[in-house]
Structures are given as C-alpha cells and as structure tokens.
Amino acid sequence: MPTKGKHGVRFEYVAERDVQRVSVAGTFNNWNNLRNAMTNRGNRVWEIELDIPKGRHLYKIVVEDTEWLLDPTNPNISEDGQNNSAFTVTEAGDVLIRTTDIDEQHPGFLYQHFCALESPEWIRQAVIYQLHLRAFDEQGFQGLTNRLGYLRELGVNTLWMMPFQLVGEQNRTGTYGDPYAVRDYYSIDGHYGTAEELKQLIGAAHASGMRVIMDWVMNRGSIDHVWTREHPEYFTRNEQGELYYEVPNRICFAGLNFDNPEMRERVVEAMVYWLTTFDFDGFRLDDSDITPLDFLNDIRQELSSIREDVVLISQSYDEYHHMEACDLTYDGSLRDVIRGISDRTLTQRDFMRIYDSYTYSFPRGALRMRWLEEKEQPRISEYLGYELAKPAASILMTVEGVPSLMMGQEFNEGTLRTWASLFEEYRLDWERFDREMYAHYQTLIRLRTRHAAFWKGKLEFVPNSEQSVLSYIRSSEEERFLVIVSLSELPLRVRLADATTTGELMNSRLIYRTGQGAEPGVEDRSEIVVAGYETLIYRLDKAAQV
C-alpha cells in the first residue's frame, strides 16, 4: 500500500514468485511501465519511492512488463470500471487511502477541510447525453439538429458531442481513425457539415432548452498534428528525439509538452475560440487525470472570465479537480456495486458504505458525473444482463450527482462496443428500439429534472430487511420521495427499518413502478411486497395527499 516516504510516495510489493522486473505504472507517469522500475530488496520484496504531485492517482503493479496487477495491499479500487488501485496525495505529501470506514460521522480529510467550487445551477440539474455525430445520425450536424425533438422528448437537457475535428492520418487505426486523435484543434471534419451548420445546431439546442458540451482532447494531438510542423517544441519526444505519446500503445498520438508555457497559451486560445465563436456551454476534458492540475486551474480561470456559467467536466476521479478547476469528476462505481449485490457478493449495507465513502472523502459539495455506460466500457445490458439494466437505470437517475447516458443506452441499443467501434463505419441500430426501456428512462429523467429533491436534495438511506433491495429518501425543502429498487430476481417482502418512513407510507402516493399486475401491497404499513427487479417510487410529502 502506498505510504508517505522520506522523499515522496513509497510503494512496496511482495512477489508471489521469483521475478526479474517489477515496476509501477499509473496516472502519475502516463501509465508508462518502463519508466519507474522497483528495486529488489531481497526475499521477493520490491520497493520504490516517487515524487508524486497532490491529487488522486490510479496505478497498477507491473510484473515482467506483462502482468498488470492490483496492489494486493491497497483496499481502494478505482471507480472507473478498469479495476485500478488508487490513492490520494495531499499538499503536505500525506497519502490517503479511501476505505469504507469513511462516512458522515467519520469524514475524510478533504471533506473536512475543503469545499468544491460553486457550479452553475444548470449543470446540477443536468441529464447528460453523450453522442458521436457519425454514429448517431449519418447527416452530421444537420442530422443531430433534426433529432433534437427526439432528445427533447426523452428529457435530456445537456448534449456532449464527442470530437468532430479532423483526425490524423499517420498511424491511423481503421478507416476513420480514433476520433480523439485530433489533427487541428480549430478544424471541423467536413463529413459532419460546416461551421455555419454547427452554429445552427447549437442555436437550435439552446432554443430547446438544452446545453451543449464540447469534448476536448486535453493532453495530446495526433502524431501529424499541424503544430508538430509549426511548433514541434509543443510536443514530447522519446530518447531517440522522435515525437511520441508516453501512454503505451498509442502510436497515433503525440503528447503535449506541458513544460512549454506558449503551448499552454495556444491550447487555451483554441478553447476560447470554440466557446466564443460557437457558443458552447463548456468542455469535457479527456484524460484530464494525466494533465497537470495547475493547467486545469488556468483553463478554468480564463474561460470563467469570458463566460461565468461555463462548465468543465474532468475525466478523472481526482478530488483536487473540484477545488478550482472542474465542476464534475467521473464516478462509474454503480456498475460494479450493482453487479455485486445481484450476484450476492455485496449487500445493501455494502452499497451504503461504498456510496458514503465517496461522498465523504471528496470536498464538500463536490458533484460527480455518474454513469453506467461510457466510451471505454461495454453496454450495461451486456455487463449486467437486460433484467438488471432497468433497476440500474433507476438507481442512476435517483441518486445524487449528475447522470450521464451514452447514445442509445436509453433504448437498449446493443451494437456499440467501445469508442473503438467509431474507428470504422458505424451507426446506432435504431431498428431494434426497445420502447419499454426508453419509456423507463423517459419517466425517470422527467421525474429527476422536474423535482428538485432529485437534483439538489439530500439522499438518506433507509435500511430494510432484504440485502438485495435498496431504499432511500430523496428530499428537498418542499418534496420527499421514497425510492425502493430490487436487484433480486425474486419477489420479496420488504420491511423498512425506519419507523418514521414506514408511518409516512400510510399517506403516501405511489407515483412510479416498473412491475406488472396489481399494485404492490403495503401490509399493515410495515411490509412492502416488491416484485423481482422492480422499482417503486413513493411521494411522501403533503402533495402526495392531494
């Protein structure tokens, strides 16, 4: 487990067999397993001490340059769905390890001492929809403009557009290449349309009450980026003096050299161009977890001076990104916790402890972007199974934070694998449209966006008698809802532990359920009969009695 050493963060690993090489790779060294080899201290014990900046860091132990392993001594596993070990370094160099002992009564260091920056209300109320233009509609900007009615009917209010700039040609993978291998920050790929059509799209979205986020590739360009010729000093080079990107197996990229202050200024200038010329509402920052924090802070300061309500979404799990730079960080923990409860390796109590450990280890007021699907993970129905995907959606849309959907998630689209699908000709399969799943998301999204209890209210867990059922209260000053979600395939009789909530059910109104047949009974107001994988949402406040 990482600990504070004399000159930095100390790592120790005890190998299970005799090996020749062990290293540590993570966000602090661009996942380069060749850079930081550990020293063999004898008896299969390997160690290294590294100077690591403050912030949250993900890592793995790499044995013989081929086996990427979790640190067996570190209980904190990342919430990115990629099974990494994690730790946080403070300003004083102390090493924090998140555990499930952290809760409201025992908050972590950062929750106790820091507050997150104040975010615009619109992002607090957001339901984000991530899409790639070519995959979503073959007509690009115009096609998306034509489908705004569909998205408005679904209820989402924030669009996140994946990169639409020109993609590099050199070392390209697939017909179209990686959309994140941007060749020119100022460009628009003509296949998607023109600058004027993009302006019309954003204007139409704004007129429909939607915000639009631009996906920004934070720390790299394509290997043939226009700046590699004009300003080669803006990029990193290997020992042979060749342009390269330090993250392994990314030969289509050239890494940005953050030691060059002029390069930093040019990147910010490019972001300002898109903000002012096209009226984007903010940026999602790709790979911000391997971007210097001071640069993120500079970006925030410059963009906020131009647009007060600009929003920055950090593709990181870093508590420090909330303090001065970003409005949202990622949280994909729901996928694995829901799966664990379903297969009975975790319980209702584990869900509550894991949830609270994140809440009370981040700065107070920190907003997390919660997701079941994102570009590096398979579809949630593939991961959990179709039946479990529906209650997972219920949880995503009713817990705290800002929910994010991947295009097609709302109708159970099944052909998108990861963002690598976009390297070739690819379209969402609109023909296999699951109307039941769509209606489920539509109802939940409307419930969330229309009731402040769900987007700015408090969450309070209500323990119950069944370990595979979650129950919690979402409340604001004027509203109070009880959410019950079963992650079991079996019908269950659920008894709430809280007598006050049980009493409130006497005057409650069931406003949404996913089960079939007769309305679930509340026998003597102490037990609720819940069908397999069912969601029940009750309104408990005075409006329920109207």
Side-chain angles (χ1 to χ4, degrees):
M1 182 163 60
T3 57
K4 184 177 181 180
K6 293 181 179 179
H7 307 289
V9 178
R10 183 177 179 274
F11 297 84
E12 181 178 282
Y13 173 69
V14 180
E16 296 181 349
R17 65 183 192 280
D18 293 331
V19 296
Q20 299 302 310
R21 177 180 165 82
V22 178
S23 61
V24 60
T27 52
F28 45 82
N29 64 6
N30 290 316
W31 296 98
N32 185 350
N33 60 294
L34 302 179
R35 194 203 293 186
N36 297 125
M38 303 178 79
T39 300
N40 188 347
R41 207 175 67 196
N43 295 321
R44 297 180 178 173
V45 177
W46 297 76
E47 65 179 8
I48 191 172
E49 192 165 312
L50 300 174
D51 182 16
I52 295 177
K54 72 177 181 180
R56 180 108 182 273
H57 300 279
L58 312 184
Y59 72 101
K60 277 193 167 77
I61 302 296
V62 186
V63 177
E64 306 289 27
D65 291 330
T66 57
E67 299 175 60
W68 293 66
L69 308 174
L70 281 169
D71 185 339
T73 64
N74 185 349
N76 186 206
I77 308 300
S78 61
E79 62 271 36
D80 61 351
Q82 299 187 36
N83 209 35
N84 294 307
S85 298
F87 65 95
T88 299
V89 180
T90 70
E91 294 88 341
D94 294 320
V95 177
L96 307 179
I97 302 294
R98 185 178 302 151
T99 70
T100 52
D101 294 327
I102 295 173
D103 57 21
E104 187 174 9
Q105 287 70 44
H106 310 92
F109 171 81
L110 294 169
Y111 186 89
Q112 293 182 60
H113 296 283
F114 297 98
C115 288
L117 58 81
E118 189 69 27
S119 295
E121 185 169 284
W122 72 261
I123 193 62
R124 303 180 67 87
Q125 197 173 358
V127 176
I128 299 171
Y129 191 91
Q130 178 185 358
L131 62 89
H132 182 266
L133 283 161
R134 186 176 60 251
F136 192 71
D137 190 285
E138 61 185 7
Q139 296 181 37
F141 299 136
Q142 188 58 53
L144 179 53
T145 302
N146 294 338
R147 287 189 184 267
L148 288 178
Y150 164 82
L151 295 168
R152 187 168 56 249
E153 186 67 21
L154 174 62
V156 297
N157 53 24
T158 303
L159 306 183
W160 157 10
M161 296 173 62
M162 296 170 74
F164 49 78
Q165 293 117 314
L166 291 170
V167 173
E169 298 281 353
Q170 186 176 340
N171 297 339
R172 173 181 286 194
T173 301
T175 303
Y176 293 102
D178 187 333
Y180 289 83
V182 173
R183 194 166 80 222
D184 182 348
Y185 292 131
Y186 290 88
S187 67
I188 292 176
D189 187 330
H191 289 98
Y192 302 130
T194 65
E196 187 59 34
E197 288 174 326
L198 176 56
K199 290 178 182 179
Q200 291 172 0
L201 163 61
I202 295 175
H206 287 164
S208 298
M210 298 183 190
R211 303 281 183 153
V212 187
I213 298 289
M214 181 179 180
D215 210 335
W216 191 265
V217 183
M218 196 66 253
N219 61 353
R220 64 201 186 280
S222 69
I223 193 73
D224 53 356
H225 192 282
V226 293
W227 287 353
T228 61
R229 299 186 302 275
E230 301 168 2
H231 294 281
E233 71 276 12
Y234 288 179
F235 296 89
T236 54
R237 295 181 178 273
N238 60 21
E239 295 178 354
Q240 290 73 43
E242 302 166 329
L243 291 171
Y244 89 126
Y245 184 46
E246 191 172 15
V247 176
N249 304 316
R250 302 288 183 90
I251 60 173
C252 62
F253 294 109
L256 292 177
N257 175 16
F258 290 109
D259 293 332
N260 188 305
E262 184 178 290
M263 180 279 295
R264 291 185 176 211
E265 292 175 4
R266 293 288 300 277
V267 169
V268 175
E269 287 172 4
M271 299 178 80
V272 169
Y273 164 78
W274 290 99
L275 188 70
T276 57
T277 304
F278 295 90
D279 202 21
F280 278 98
D281 296 284
F283 297 90
R284 178 262 184 186
L285 307 178
D286 187 69
D287 278 356
S288 49
D289 59 346
I290 49 178
T291 302
L293 178 58
D294 68 312
F295 186 39
L296 299 179
N297 293 341
D298 290 344
I299 290 171
R300 179 63 181 228
Q301 184 174 0
E302 180 64 26
L303 298 185
S304 294
S305 70
I306 297 168
R307 180 168 185 157
E308 187 177 356
D309 67 344
V310 71
V311 159
L312 297 180
I313 302 173
S314 175
Q315 190 199 5
S316 79
Y317 303 82
D318 193 331
E319 303 96 333
Y320 279 90
H321 285 198
H322 286 278
M323 297 184 190
E324 297 179 49
C326 299
D327 299 274
L328 302 178
T329 57
Y330 274 41
D331 185 347
S333 60
L334 291 178
R335 283 172 64 101
D336 290 333
V337 180
I338 289 170
R339 187 176 188 175
I341 294 176
S342 177
D343 64 21
R344 295 173 174 79
T345 57
L346 295 175
T347 66
Q348 166 201 160
R349 174 60 179 160
D350 293 321
F351 184 100
M352 292 188 286
R353 294 183 68 189
I354 292 169
Y355 187 97
D356 283 348
S357 73
Y358 288 123
T359 300
Y360 295 104
S361 60
F362 272 71
R364 296 186 301 280
L367 283 173
R368 310 299 303 282
M369 188 182 78
R370 299 190 189 274
W371 51 267
L372 296 174
E373 295 186 10
E374 65 101 34
K375 68 181 178 67
E376 297 179 16
Q377 301 294 331
R379 290 294 198 190
I380 192 64
S381 289
E382 179 182 339
Y383 185 71
L384 295 179
Y386 176 77
E387 294 295 333
L388 197 55
K390 288 187 69 176
S394 300
I395 296 168
L396 173 70
M397 299 306 305
T398 58
V399 295
E400 295 165 304
V402 177
S404 176
L405 278 63
M406 173 61 76
M407 57 180 178
Q409 178 179 336
E410 76 279 9
F411 66 88
N412 197 35
E413 201 283 332
T415 63
L416 181 68
R417 293 294 175 255
T418 68
W419 94 107
S421 298
L422 307 174
F423 297 3
E424 300 289 355
E425 189 71 36
Y426 173 77
R427 300 279 187 279
L428 292 180
D429 185 359
W430 292 93
E431 297 301 317
R432 299 182 182 180
F433 194 95
D434 186 331
R435 296 193 177 279
E436 183 178 327
M437 185 69 80
Y438 173 86
H440 181 53
Y441 270 102
Q442 184 184 51
T443 300
L444 292 168
I445 291 170
R446 289 181 176 179
L447 185 67
R448 182 181 187 88
T449 56
R450 294 177 182 181
H451 296 282
F454 289 102
W455 59 266
K456 70 174 181 181
K458 181 181 178 182
L459 185 146
E460 176 188 354
F461 286 108
V462 180
N464 67 70
S465 58
E466 297 296 330
Q467 291 304 316
S468 56
V469 176
L470 301 179
S471 48
Y472 45 91
I473 298 286
R474 296 305 315 273
S475 61
S476 61
E477 291 182 2
E478 298 180 349
E479 301 173 316
R480 188 170 169 84
F481 298 87
L482 170 65
V483 180
I484 300 174
V485 183
S486 174
L487 300 175
S488 170
E489 74 279 10
L490 302 173
L492 298 169
R493 306 174 76 88
V494 178
R495 183 182 294 271
L496 301 179
D498 179 51
T500 300
T501 304
T502 300
E504 287 181 287
L505 280 171
M506 294 182 65
N507 297 311
S508 68
R509 178 160 56 94
L510 180 63
I511 62 171
Y512 182 58
R513 66 175 296 224
T514 58
Q516 303 295 320
E519 184 173 313
V522 183
E523 300 189 3
D524 69 23
R525 300 302 174 185
S526 62
E527 280 190 346
I528 304 171
V529 180
V530 182
Y533 299 122
E534 186 170 32
T535 297
L536 301 170
I537 301 178
Y538 292 88
R539 185 155 190 175
L540 304 178
D541 56 80
K542 292 181 180 179
Q545 303 170 30
V546 177

